[in-house]
Amino acid sequence: MEKGLLQSDELYKYILETNVYPQEPEPLKEIRALTASHQLFFMGTSPDAGQMIEMLLKLTGAKKTLELGVYTGYSLLLTALTIPEDGKIVAIDVNREYYEIGRPVIEKAGVEHKIDFIESEGIPALDKLLENPDNKGSFDYVYVDADKINYLNYHEKVVKLVKVNGIIVYDNTLWYGSVAKSEDLVPEVLKQGRTSVLQFNKALAMDPRVKISMAPLGDGITICRRVY
């Protein structure tokens, strides 16, 4: 299952090779290569989406960030490389084993001190963060790339954690292009995720708390700015 949503594989390859890879930092190339041989390689953040995320982080001056769904750490490392030296990332994932695949690269890049890794299911970890009043409305940037069935539940929590005018980015909001296909044409393995993503996209578009922009990068990313 390719993530690129362009009709032409050649065109997507052109974008990556001409525009993305030349500016991709070496540690990110390394973690991407490590991930490529893993059986769940398709779970990694696409480098073209990562390029946009880096720009968002720089434009907003993000310093305190939250990541829900880490996998091997491509987007986590990207964020750690981009935010200031005294910036912090709360990184939540249910599987520490996958994080350990990329952690040596993160260590070598000299940015592990910015990361607070929490091995946990997403909902209880977010609830614990919300228990501390200081966390509410305090995060500059949130990245969500976790189980799609809980995206709406995650949104209700992270929208309280991100500051007004802060950014939330959701990955996989076009779900391999299946959102635009009739259900009978969608492979069985994608159907549950497709249903969740369709519901999430509809709800997000109607949420007055955020302004959104869906970008056809990688598997689709939806960029949200908290309005109030």
Side-chain angles (χ1 to χ4, degrees):
M1 294 182 291
E2 290 295 328
K3 283 195 174 183
L5 293 167
L6 295 173
Q7 292 301 306
S8 164
D9 290 339
E10 290 78 17
L11 187 54
Y12 185 53
K13 183 180 178 184
Y14 171 82
I15 290 171
L16 290 175
E17 292 182 349
T18 306
N19 187 62
V20 180
Y21 293 157
Q23 293 197 344
E24 185 181 38
E26 285 304 317
L28 290 179
K29 292 182 191 297
E30 189 173 346
I31 210 166
R32 181 161 55 82
L34 274 175
T35 305
S37 60
H38 192 266
Q39 60 180 348
L40 299 175
F41 68 93
F42 51 86
M43 286 173 49
T45 299
S46 297
D48 51 329
Q51 189 179 52
M52 172 63 81
I53 289 167
E54 179 186 4
M55 188 173 290
L56 287 169
L57 288 166
K58 283 296 187 184
L59 286 171
T60 59
K63 190 173 180 179
K64 183 180 180 181
T65 73
L66 170 64
E67 180 155 335
L68 186 58
V70 173
Y71 186 40
T72 58
Y74 184 94
S75 59
L76 180 62
L77 175 56
L78 181 148
T79 301
L81 289 169
T82 306
I83 63 176
E85 183 62 23
D86 60 344
K88 293 294 179 184
I89 310 164
V90 176
I92 302 165
D93 199 290
V94 70
N95 192 316
R96 189 179 189 101
E97 180 185 345
Y98 296 157
Y99 169 60
E100 291 294 333
I101 294 172
R103 194 165 69 87
V105 182
I106 294 171
E107 282 184 337
K108 189 168 68 173
V111 292
E112 192 183 23
H113 66 282
K114 300 180 186 181
I115 298 167
D116 176 17
F117 182 85
I118 300 170
E119 185 176 11
S120 171
E121 295 279 354
I123 298 297
L126 293 174
D127 283 340
K128 190 169 183 180
L129 287 174
L130 285 165
E131 285 174 8
N132 182 349
D134 291 340
N135 283 328
K136 294 180 180 179
S138 71
F139 287 87
D140 303 308
Y141 165 85
V142 179
Y143 181 62
V144 181
D145 183 13
D147 56 307
K148 312 312 161 196
I149 197 169
N150 270 312
Y151 261 32
L152 272 174
N153 295 326
Y154 295 146
H155 179 66
E156 286 306 314
K157 297 180 187 300
V158 301
V159 78
K160 297 172 185 174
L161 289 165
V162 75
K163 70 180 185 181
V164 172
N165 283 321
I167 299 294
I168 309 168
V169 175
Y170 292 97
D171 198 15
N172 306 115
T173 53
L174 292 176
W175 202 234
Y176 302 94
S178 68
V179 292
K181 296 178 181 177
S182 59
E183 189 172 1
D184 59 310
L185 295 177
V186 176
E188 195 64 36
V189 69
L190 294 179
K191 283 185 177 178
Q192 184 181 31
R194 173 184 177 271
T195 299
S196 298
V197 169
L198 284 170
Q199 292 171 347
F200 175 72
N201 289 342
K202 185 176 181 179
L204 205 58
M206 300 300 292
D207 187 345
R209 297 169 296 179
V210 292
K211 291 290 186 181
I212 65 174
S213 175
M214 182 181 283
L217 299 166
D219 189 30
I221 59 171
T222 300
I223 304 160
C224 309
R225 177 177 64 86
R226 181 181 172 187
V227 178
Y228 65 85

